Amino acid sequence: MQKATIYVTLKPQVLDPQGKVIMNALHTLGYKNVTEVRASKMFEVTLDAKDDADIKQEIEEICDKVLANPNIETYYYKIHDE
Amino acid sequence: MKYNIIIFPGSNCDYDAYFVTKNLMGAEVEYVWHKDTSLKYPDCVIIPGGFSYGDYLRAGAIAKFSPIMKEVIAFANKGGLVLGICNGFQVLTETKLLPGTLLQNKSLLFICKHQYVKVVNNKTPYTHIIEKNQVLDIPIAHNEGNFFIDEDGLKSLQDDQQIVFQYCDKEGHIDDITNPNGSMLNIAGIVNKQGNVLGMMPHPERSSDPICGSKDGQNIFLSIMEFIEK
């Protein structure tokens, strides 16, 4: 079994109001060093496959088709052994 | 004329659309369950508002894989009329029948209120009986209505006159103050390049029966009917 940790993040040019609200809250709490917060999604996907190249191809297909919306999001991932 | 209304788990404006098209407009209407694999000979397909699949992942993201969507895409590609309202608009962008994406509202709040929209393109099957720049009172009710598209996409929407509705005030002013959700250019509704697929965030089916406080939404259904029957 292998586990993929997939991060789906908003493209830089896409406004992230949620991140902005979190940043404002952090400022209110006194964390003045914080200059930007971007919220993103993280998925843990477990795969029953052995070949690394196959897994990569499958994950990228899953991201392109389902997990990320290419209009607004990009993704990256890490694969670990279970 | 005949409508098909698609029902997903979580659709909640399906009956409103049914009531208006059948009882007020006198059209023939059939529901189509999302697991069905064929449409029921429609002239126009409506993808109604709601929260298909609980808006999981992204609004409309899971609905695009429902079996019936293959048929809806094929119907649209043959020039059939497809109207996506609210969540239906989100489904249409996820299926790529329409460009762009509906992001979360800039305010992060769910907005439910009466809204004025300007008809900036009256050369579509959905708006041809309406005067250009006429202002309609059609309510909105959404959490993800903030229309986003990249620069090239926006230019292409403008060049091809694909923007149909823009948020405005009663006098028709289009600016940041009259923009309820942060949409680029106050966009409330667009058509595809061919003009047969319309996505709109405002709910014409909630403003057709005068008891709802506005009957401006009727204009959309009357346009469709006249387009089909002529």
mmCIF file of all heavy atoms in Angstrom, chain B residues 27-69:
data_model
loop_
_atom_site.group_PDB
_atom_site.id
_atom_site.type_symbol
_atom_site.label_atom_id
_atom_site.label_comp_id
_atom_site.label_asym_id
_atom_site.label_seq_id
_atom_site.Cartn_x
_atom_site.Cartn_y
_atom_site.Cartn_z
ATOM 1 N N ALA B 27 -45.972 24.525 -20.270
ATOM 2 C CA ALA B 27 -45.132 23.621 -21.074
ATOM 3 C C ALA B 27 -45.259 22.188 -20.550
ATOM 4 O O ALA B 27 -45.741 21.953 -19.439
ATOM 5 C CB ALA B 27 -43.677 24.064 -21.006
ATOM 6 N N GLU B 28 -44.800 21.266 -21.374
ATOM 7 C CA GLU B 28 -44.714 19.880 -20.922
ATOM 8 C C GLU B 28 -43.391 19.754 -20.168
ATOM 9 O O GLU B 28 -42.381 20.342 -20.594
ATOM 10 C CB GLU B 28 -44.691 18.990 -22.170
ATOM 11 C CG GLU B 28 -45.298 17.625 -21.985
ATOM 12 C CD GLU B 28 -45.167 16.811 -23.257
ATOM 13 O OE1 GLU B 28 -45.414 17.381 -24.349
ATOM 14 O OE2 GLU B 28 -44.780 15.646 -23.138
ATOM 15 N N VAL B 29 -43.393 19.024 -19.065
ATOM 16 C CA VAL B 29 -42.160 18.926 -18.267
ATOM 17 C C VAL B 29 -41.984 17.505 -17.757
ATOM 18 O O VAL B 29 -42.949 16.873 -17.326
ATOM 19 C CB VAL B 29 -42.206 19.843 -17.012
ATOM 20 C CG1 VAL B 29 -40.815 19.950 -16.385
ATOM 21 C CG2 VAL B 29 -42.729 21.218 -17.338
ATOM 22 N N GLU B 30 -40.747 17.013 -17.803
ATOM 23 C CA GLU B 30 -40.469 15.722 -17.165
ATOM 24 C C GLU B 30 -39.197 15.836 -16.339
ATOM 25 O O GLU B 30 -38.231 16.472 -16.762
ATOM 26 C CB GLU B 30 -40.307 14.624 -18.212
ATOM 27 C CG GLU B 30 -41.637 14.147 -18.736
ATOM 28 C CD GLU B 30 -41.574 12.714 -19.245
ATOM 29 O OE1 GLU B 30 -41.386 11.798 -18.419
ATOM 30 O OE2 GLU B 30 -41.696 12.555 -20.458
ATOM 31 N N TYR B 31 -39.230 15.221 -15.162
ATOM 32 C CA TYR B 31 -38.015 15.122 -14.360
ATOM 33 C C TYR B 31 -37.125 14.030 -14.943
ATOM 34 O O TYR B 31 -37.630 13.031 -15.478
ATOM 35 C CB TYR B 31 -38.360 14.697 -12.927
ATOM 36 C CG TYR B 31 -38.977 15.774 -12.071
ATOM 37 C CD1 TYR B 31 -40.150 15.521 -11.349
ATOM 38 C CD2 TYR B 31 -38.378 17.022 -11.936
ATOM 39 C CE1 TYR B 31 -40.709 16.487 -10.525
ATOM 40 C CE2 TYR B 31 -38.938 17.994 -11.117
ATOM 41 C CZ TYR B 31 -40.100 17.718 -10.422
ATOM 42 O OH TYR B 31 -40.637 18.677 -9.609
ATOM 43 N N VAL B 32 -35.820 14.213 -14.802
ATOM 44 C CA VAL B 32 -34.879 13.162 -15.201
ATOM 45 C C VAL B 32 -33.915 12.943 -14.036
ATOM 46 O O VAL B 32 -33.254 13.890 -13.580
ATOM 47 C CB VAL B 32 -34.088 13.547 -16.474
ATOM 48 C CG1 VAL B 32 -33.126 12.423 -16.864
ATOM 49 C CG2 VAL B 32 -35.034 13.860 -17.632
ATOM 50 N N TRP B 33 -33.876 11.737 -13.526
ATOM 51 C CA TRP B 33 -32.999 11.396 -12.408
ATOM 52 C C TRP B 33 -31.550 11.344 -12.883
ATOM 53 O O TRP B 33 -31.283 10.886 -14.000
ATOM 54 C CB TRP B 33 -33.461 10.067 -11.804
ATOM 55 C CG TRP B 33 -32.687 9.548 -10.626
ATOM 56 C CD1 TRP B 33 -32.100 8.316 -10.532
ATOM 57 C CD2 TRP B 33 -32.442 10.195 -9.369
ATOM 58 N NE1 TRP B 33 -31.499 8.178 -9.296
ATOM 59 C CE2 TRP B 33 -31.694 9.312 -8.568
ATOM 60 C CE3 TRP B 33 -32.780 11.460 -8.858
ATOM 61 C CZ2 TRP B 33 -31.263 9.641 -7.273
ATOM 62 C CZ3 TRP B 33 -32.351 11.785 -7.573
ATOM 63 C CH2 TRP B 33 -31.614 10.886 -6.803
ATOM 64 N N HIS B 34 -30.631 11.763 -12.048
ATOM 65 C CA HIS B 34 -29.232 11.890 -12.488
ATOM 66 C C HIS B 34 -28.596 10.560 -12.884
ATOM 67 O O HIS B 34 -27.619 10.524 -13.622
ATOM 68 C CB HIS B 34 -28.399 12.561 -11.390
ATOM 69 C CG HIS B 34 -28.086 11.666 -10.236
ATOM 70 N ND1 HIS B 34 -26.807 11.308 -9.891
ATOM 71 C CD2 HIS B 34 -28.904 11.013 -9.371
ATOM 72 C CE1 HIS B 34 -26.853 10.491 -8.853
ATOM 73 N NE2 HIS B 34 -28.106 10.306 -8.520
ATOM 74 N N LYS B 35 -29.177 9.442 -12.412
ATOM 75 C CA LYS B 35 -28.616 8.125 -12.767
ATOM 76 C C LYS B 35 -29.147 7.631 -14.103
ATOM 77 O O LYS B 35 -28.676 6.613 -14.616
ATOM 78 C CB LYS B 35 -28.957 7.098 -11.680
ATOM 79 C CG LYS B 35 -28.273 7.368 -10.361
ATOM 80 C CD LYS B 35 -27.208 6.334 -10.070
ATOM 81 C CE LYS B 35 -26.482 6.726 -8.813
ATOM 82 N NZ LYS B 35 -25.627 5.777 -8.255
ATOM 83 N N ASP B 36 -30.173 8.304 -14.622
ATOM 84 C CA ASP B 36 -30.710 7.891 -15.924
ATOM 85 C C ASP B 36 -29.637 8.066 -16.994
ATOM 86 O O ASP B 36 -28.738 8.901 -16.860
ATOM 87 C CB ASP B 36 -31.939 8.735 -16.294
ATOM 88 C CG ASP B 36 -33.153 8.372 -15.450
ATOM 89 O OD1 ASP B 36 -33.032 7.448 -14.633
ATOM 90 O OD2 ASP B 36 -34.199 9.033 -15.597
ATOM 91 N N THR B 37 -29.791 7.292 -18.066
ATOM 92 C CA THR B 37 -28.785 7.378 -19.118
ATOM 93 C C THR B 37 -29.351 7.951 -20.413
ATOM 94 O O THR B 37 -28.687 7.968 -21.433
ATOM 95 C CB THR B 37 -28.172 5.987 -19.393
ATOM 96 O OG1 THR B 37 -29.245 5.066 -19.564
ATOM 97 C CG2 THR B 37 -27.307 5.525 -18.231
ATOM 98 N N SER B 38 -30.602 8.411 -20.347
ATOM 99 C CA SER B 38 -31.112 9.119 -21.529
ATOM 100 C C SER B 38 -32.080 10.212 -21.111
ATOM 101 O O SER B 38 -32.737 10.121 -20.069
ATOM 102 C CB SER B 38 -31.793 8.142 -22.496
ATOM 103 O OG SER B 38 -32.835 7.482 -21.831
ATOM 104 N N LEU B 39 -32.132 11.262 -21.953
ATOM 105 C CA LEU B 39 -33.076 12.351 -21.710
ATOM 106 C C LEU B 39 -34.434 11.944 -22.276
ATOM 107 O O LEU B 39 -34.537 10.972 -23.024
ATOM 108 C CB LEU B 39 -32.559 13.628 -22.392
ATOM 109 C CG LEU B 39 -31.274 14.217 -21.788
ATOM 110 C CD1 LEU B 39 -30.678 15.279 -22.714
ATOM 111 C CD2 LEU B 39 -31.543 14.816 -20.404
ATOM 112 N N LYS B 40 -35.464 12.724 -21.916
ATOM 113 C CA LYS B 40 -36.816 12.383 -22.356
ATOM 114 C C LYS B 40 -37.289 13.378 -23.419
ATOM 115 O O LYS B 40 -38.246 14.107 -23.200
ATOM 116 C CB LYS B 40 -37.750 12.351 -21.138
ATOM 117 C CG LYS B 40 -37.317 11.273 -20.119
ATOM 118 C CD LYS B 40 -38.088 11.362 -18.816
ATOM 119 C CE LYS B 40 -37.631 10.307 -17.816
ATOM 120 N NZ LYS B 40 -38.210 10.478 -16.479
ATOM 121 N N TYR B 41 -36.591 13.411 -24.523
ATOM 122 C CA TYR B 41 -36.908 14.224 -25.696
ATOM 123 C C TYR B 41 -37.211 15.697 -25.363
ATOM 124 O O TYR B 41 -38.280 16.211 -25.691
ATOM 125 C CB TYR B 41 -38.080 13.604 -26.480
ATOM 126 C CG TYR B 41 -37.801 12.167 -26.830
ATOM 127 C CD1 TYR B 41 -38.385 11.136 -26.085
ATOM 128 C CD2 TYR B 41 -36.902 11.847 -27.838
ATOM 129 C CE1 TYR B 41 -38.086 9.810 -26.380
ATOM 130 C CE2 TYR B 41 -36.599 10.531 -28.126
ATOM 131 C CZ TYR B 41 -37.199 9.513 -27.393
ATOM 132 O OH TYR B 41 -36.896 8.215 -27.667
ATOM 133 N N PRO B 42 -36.245 16.376 -24.723
ATOM 134 C CA PRO B 42 -36.508 17.773 -24.348
ATOM 135 C C PRO B 42 -36.235 18.757 -25.486
ATOM 136 O O PRO B 42 -35.470 18.463 -26.408
ATOM 137 C CB PRO B 42 -35.464 18.005 -23.250
ATOM 138 C CG PRO B 42 -34.308 17.138 -23.660
ATOM 139 C CD PRO B 42 -34.912 15.923 -24.327
ATOM 140 N N ASP B 43 -36.870 19.933 -25.394
ATOM 141 C CA ASP B 43 -36.447 21.084 -26.196
ATOM 142 C C ASP B 43 -35.461 21.905 -25.385
ATOM 143 O O ASP B 43 -34.630 22.615 -25.931
ATOM 144 C CB ASP B 43 -37.656 21.981 -26.530
ATOM 145 C CG ASP B 43 -38.666 21.241 -27.381
ATOM 146 O OD1 ASP B 43 -38.284 20.787 -28.472
ATOM 147 O OD2 ASP B 43 -39.829 21.100 -26.940
ATOM 148 N N CYS B 44 -35.608 21.816 -24.051
ATOM 149 C CA CYS B 44 -34.714 22.563 -23.163
ATOM 150 C C CYS B 44 -34.490 21.758 -21.882
ATOM 151 O O CYS B 44 -35.448 21.238 -21.312
ATOM 152 C CB CYS B 44 -35.337 23.926 -22.829
ATOM 153 S SG CYS B 44 -34.381 24.900 -21.652
ATOM 154 N N VAL B 45 -33.235 21.651 -21.491
ATOM 155 C CA VAL B 45 -32.891 20.958 -20.243
ATOM 156 C C VAL B 45 -32.599 22.016 -19.174
ATOM 157 O O VAL B 45 -31.868 22.975 -19.433
ATOM 158 C CB VAL B 45 -31.634 20.077 -20.439
ATOM 159 C CG1 VAL B 45 -31.123 19.543 -19.106
ATOM 160 C CG2 VAL B 45 -31.939 18.924 -21.392
ATOM 161 N N ILE B 46 -33.192 21.835 -17.991
ATOM 162 C CA ILE B 46 -32.871 22.741 -16.872
ATOM 163 C C ILE B 46 -32.071 21.970 -15.830
ATOM 164 O O ILE B 46 -32.468 20.882 -15.397
ATOM 165 C CB ILE B 46 -34.150 23.308 -16.215
ATOM 166 C CG1 ILE B 46 -34.923 24.174 -17.220
ATOM 167 C CG2 ILE B 46 -33.796 24.142 -14.971
ATOM 168 C CD1 ILE B 46 -36.206 24.787 -16.658
ATOM 169 N N ILE B 47 -30.916 22.527 -15.456
ATOM 170 C CA ILE B 47 -30.189 21.989 -14.309
ATOM 171 C C ILE B 47 -30.486 22.949 -13.160
ATOM 172 O O ILE B 47 -30.061 24.111 -13.182
ATOM 173 C CB ILE B 47 -28.677 21.885 -14.578
ATOM 174 C CG1 ILE B 47 -28.452 21.075 -15.859
ATOM 175 C CG2 ILE B 47 -27.957 21.243 -13.390
ATOM 176 C CD1 ILE B 47 -27.005 20.869 -16.226
ATOM 177 N N PRO B 48 -31.280 22.490 -12.194
ATOM 178 C CA PRO B 48 -31.808 23.418 -11.191
ATOM 179 C C PRO B 48 -30.809 23.740 -10.085
ATOM 180 O O PRO B 48 -29.736 23.132 -10.001
ATOM 181 C CB PRO B 48 -33.003 22.654 -10.630
ATOM 182 C CG PRO B 48 -32.629 21.219 -10.758
ATOM 183 C CD PRO B 48 -31.757 21.113 -11.986
ATOM 184 N N GLY B 49 -31.209 24.669 -9.233
ATOM 185 C CA GLY B 49 -30.374 25.045 -8.098
ATOM 186 C C GLY B 49 -30.429 24.014 -6.987
ATOM 187 O O GLY B 49 -31.226 23.074 -7.014
ATOM 188 N N GLY B 50 -29.573 24.201 -6.017
ATOM 189 C CA GLY B 50 -29.518 23.287 -4.878
ATOM 190 C C GLY B 50 -28.092 23.075 -4.430
ATOM 191 O O GLY B 50 -27.233 23.945 -4.630
ATOM 192 N N PHE B 51 -27.864 21.928 -3.847
ATOM 193 C CA PHE B 51 -26.522 21.594 -3.350
ATOM 194 C C PHE B 51 -26.210 20.172 -3.798
ATOM 195 O O PHE B 51 -26.193 19.245 -2.985
ATOM 196 C CB PHE B 51 -26.464 21.692 -1.828
ATOM 197 C CG PHE B 51 -26.784 23.059 -1.303
ATOM 198 C CD1 PHE B 51 -28.096 23.438 -1.067
ATOM 199 C CD2 PHE B 51 -25.774 23.977 -1.065
ATOM 200 C CE1 PHE B 51 -28.406 24.709 -0.605
ATOM 201 C CE2 PHE B 51 -26.070 25.255 -0.603
ATOM 202 C CZ PHE B 51 -27.387 25.613 -0.371
ATOM 203 N N SER B 52 -26.028 19.970 -5.101
ATOM 204 C CA SER B 52 -25.813 18.610 -5.591
ATOM 205 C C SER B 52 -24.620 18.000 -4.867
ATOM 206 O O SER B 52 -23.577 18.633 -4.731
ATOM 207 C CB SER B 52 -25.600 18.611 -7.104
ATOM 208 O OG SER B 52 -24.515 19.441 -7.462
ATOM 209 N N TYR B 53 -24.828 16.781 -4.380
ATOM 210 C CA TYR B 53 -23.791 16.058 -3.613
ATOM 211 C C TYR B 53 -23.229 16.904 -2.463
ATOM 212 O O TYR B 53 -22.042 16.833 -2.163
ATOM 213 C CB TYR B 53 -22.656 15.601 -4.543
ATOM 214 C CG TYR B 53 -23.084 14.557 -5.509
ATOM 215 C CD1 TYR B 53 -23.545 14.912 -6.764
ATOM 216 C CD2 TYR B 53 -23.073 13.213 -5.157
ATOM 217 C CE1 TYR B 53 -23.983 13.951 -7.666
ATOM 218 C CE2 TYR B 53 -23.497 12.243 -6.042
ATOM 219 C CZ TYR B 53 -23.945 12.615 -7.294
ATOM 220 O OH TYR B 53 -24.366 11.664 -8.178
ATOM 221 N N GLY B 54 -24.098 17.693 -1.853
ATOM 222 C CA GLY B 54 -23.678 18.474 -0.687
ATOM 223 C C GLY B 54 -22.580 19.472 -0.978
ATOM 224 O O GLY B 54 -21.911 19.937 -0.049
ATOM 225 N N ASP B 55 -22.392 19.825 -2.252
ATOM 226 C CA ASP B 55 -21.292 20.735 -2.634
ATOM 227 C C ASP B 55 -19.925 20.170 -2.238
ATOM 228 O O ASP B 55 -18.959 20.930 -2.096
ATOM 229 C CB ASP B 55 -21.469 22.133 -1.999
ATOM 230 C CG ASP B 55 -22.402 23.027 -2.808
ATOM 231 O OD1 ASP B 55 -22.821 22.619 -3.908
ATOM 232 O OD2 ASP B 55 -22.705 24.132 -2.332
ATOM 233 N N TYR B 56 -19.848 18.862 -2.027
ATOM 234 C CA TYR B 56 -18.562 18.269 -1.622
ATOM 235 C C TYR B 56 -17.497 18.525 -2.682
ATOM 236 O O TYR B 56 -17.790 18.572 -3.870
ATOM 237 C CB TYR B 56 -18.703 16.758 -1.391
ATOM 238 C CG TYR B 56 -19.549 16.397 -0.192
ATOM 239 C CD1 TYR B 56 -20.020 15.100 -0.015
ATOM 240 C CD2 TYR B 56 -19.883 17.350 0.763
ATOM 241 C CE1 TYR B 56 -20.804 14.759 1.077
ATOM 242 C CE2 TYR B 56 -20.672 17.027 1.854
ATOM 243 C CZ TYR B 56 -21.133 15.728 2.007
ATOM 244 O OH TYR B 56 -21.917 15.410 3.083
ATOM 245 N N LEU B 57 -16.285 18.680 -2.239
ATOM 246 C CA LEU B 57 -15.104 18.981 -3.059
ATOM 247 C C LEU B 57 -15.173 20.399 -3.605
ATOM 248 O O LEU B 57 -14.423 21.250 -3.176
ATOM 249 C CB LEU B 57 -14.907 17.932 -4.167
ATOM 250 C CG LEU B 57 -13.585 18.013 -4.915
ATOM 251 C CD1 LEU B 57 -12.391 17.817 -3.989
ATOM 252 C CD2 LEU B 57 -13.541 16.995 -6.047
ATOM 253 N N ARG B 58 -16.035 20.636 -4.585
ATOM 254 C CA ARG B 58 -16.341 21.991 -5.071
ATOM 255 C C ARG B 58 -17.784 21.921 -5.551
ATOM 256 O O ARG B 58 -18.232 20.860 -5.981
ATOM 257 C CB ARG B 58 -15.460 22.381 -6.278
ATOM 258 C CG ARG B 58 -13.971 22.470 -6.011
ATOM 259 C CD ARG B 58 -13.226 22.800 -7.316
ATOM 260 N NE ARG B 58 -13.513 21.853 -8.375
ATOM 261 C CZ ARG B 58 -12.885 20.686 -8.551
ATOM 262 N NH1 ARG B 58 -11.915 20.325 -7.740
ATOM 263 N NH2 ARG B 58 -13.233 19.885 -9.542
ATOM 264 N N ALA B 59 -18.482 23.071 -5.503
ATOM 265 C CA ALA B 59 -19.879 23.057 -5.945
ATOM 266 C C ALA B 59 -19.956 22.559 -7.394
ATOM 267 O O ALA B 59 -19.284 23.093 -8.262
ATOM 268 C CB ALA B 59 -20.478 24.457 -5.824
ATOM 269 N N GLY B 60 -20.734 21.523 -7.619
ATOM 270 C CA GLY B 60 -20.921 20.998 -8.980
ATOM 271 C C GLY B 60 -19.872 19.984 -9.422
ATOM 272 O O GLY B 60 -20.000 19.370 -10.478
ATOM 273 N N ALA B 61 -18.837 19.790 -8.604
ATOM 274 C CA ALA B 61 -17.696 18.968 -9.041
ATOM 275 C C ALA B 61 -18.039 17.485 -9.159
ATOM 276 O O ALA B 61 -17.525 16.792 -10.030
ATOM 277 C CB ALA B 61 -16.517 19.148 -8.097
ATOM 278 N N ILE B 62 -18.909 16.984 -8.299
ATOM 279 C CA ILE B 62 -19.227 15.553 -8.336
ATOM 280 C C ILE B 62 -20.375 15.303 -9.319
ATOM 281 O O ILE B 62 -20.406 14.286 -10.002
ATOM 282 C CB ILE B 62 -19.604 15.036 -6.921
ATOM 283 C CG1 ILE B 62 -18.540 15.443 -5.881
ATOM 284 C CG2 ILE B 62 -19.797 13.523 -6.930
ATOM 285 C CD1 ILE B 62 -17.195 14.769 -6.000
ATOM 286 N N ALA B 63 -21.290 16.267 -9.395
ATOM 287 C CA ALA B 63 -22.448 16.108 -10.291
ATOM 288 C C ALA B 63 -22.015 15.884 -11.733
ATOM 289 O O ALA B 63 -22.693 15.204 -12.498
ATOM 290 C CB ALA B 63 -23.349 17.338 -10.196
ATOM 291 N N LYS B 64 -20.857 16.430 -12.105
ATOM 292 C CA LYS B 64 -20.453 16.301 -13.507
ATOM 293 C C LYS B 64 -20.195 14.845 -13.901
ATOM 294 O O LYS B 64 -20.187 14.512 -15.075
ATOM 295 C CB LYS B 64 -19.238 17.175 -13.814
ATOM 296 C CG LYS B 64 -17.923 16.663 -13.290
ATOM 297 C CD LYS B 64 -16.781 17.521 -13.796
ATOM 298 C CE LYS B 64 -15.567 17.312 -12.915
ATOM 299 N NZ LYS B 64 -14.413 18.065 -13.305
ATOM 300 N N PHE B 65 -19.997 13.972 -12.915
ATOM 301 C CA PHE B 65 -19.752 12.562 -13.227
ATOM 302 C C PHE B 65 -21.026 11.717 -13.203
ATOM 303 O O PHE B 65 -20.974 10.507 -13.407
ATOM 304 C CB PHE B 65 -18.724 11.964 -12.253
ATOM 305 C CG PHE B 65 -17.403 12.676 -12.314
ATOM 306 C CD1 PHE B 65 -16.949 13.428 -11.249
ATOM 307 C CD2 PHE B 65 -16.638 12.615 -13.466
ATOM 308 C CE1 PHE B 65 -15.739 14.108 -11.328
ATOM 309 C CE2 PHE B 65 -15.432 13.285 -13.557
ATOM 310 C CZ PHE B 65 -14.981 14.036 -12.484
ATOM 311 N N SER B 66 -22.172 12.332 -12.931
ATOM 312 C CA SER B 66 -23.430 11.588 -12.968
ATOM 313 C C SER B 66 -23.698 11.104 -14.390
ATOM 314 O O SER B 66 -23.434 11.832 -15.349
ATOM 315 C CB SER B 66 -24.589 12.487 -12.526
ATOM 316 O OG SER B 66 -24.627 12.570 -11.138
ATOM 317 N N PRO B 67 -24.236 9.887 -14.536
ATOM 318 C CA PRO B 67 -24.450 9.330 -15.874
ATOM 319 C C PRO B 67 -25.214 10.258 -16.828
ATOM 320 O O PRO B 67 -24.866 10.359 -18.000
ATOM 321 C CB PRO B 67 -25.253 8.059 -15.592
ATOM 322 C CG PRO B 67 -24.925 7.697 -14.181
ATOM 323 C CD PRO B 67 -24.618 8.968 -13.449
ATOM 324 N N ILE B 68 -26.218 10.961 -16.319
ATOM 325 C CA ILE B 68 -27.038 11.775 -17.224
ATOM 326 C C ILE B 68 -26.253 12.924 -17.848
ATOM 327 O O ILE B 68 -26.594 13.425 -18.922
ATOM 328 C CB ILE B 68 -28.310 12.321 -16.499
ATOM 329 C CG1 ILE B 68 -29.362 12.822 -17.497
ATOM 330 C CG2 ILE B 68 -27.952 13.445 -15.534
ATOM 331 C CD1 ILE B 68 -29.904 11.792 -18.434
ATOM 332 N N MET B 69 -25.160 13.343 -17.193
ATOM 333 C CA MET B 69 -24.429 14.504 -17.704
ATOM 334 C C MET B 69 -23.825 14.246 -19.081
ATOM 335 O O MET B 69 -23.673 15.163 -19.879
ATOM 336 C CB MET B 69 -23.369 14.968 -16.704
ATOM 337 C CG MET B 69 -23.927 15.724 -15.500
ATOM 338 S SD MET B 69 -25.148 16.999 -15.926
ATOM 339 C CE MET B 69 -24.134 18.186 -16.816
#
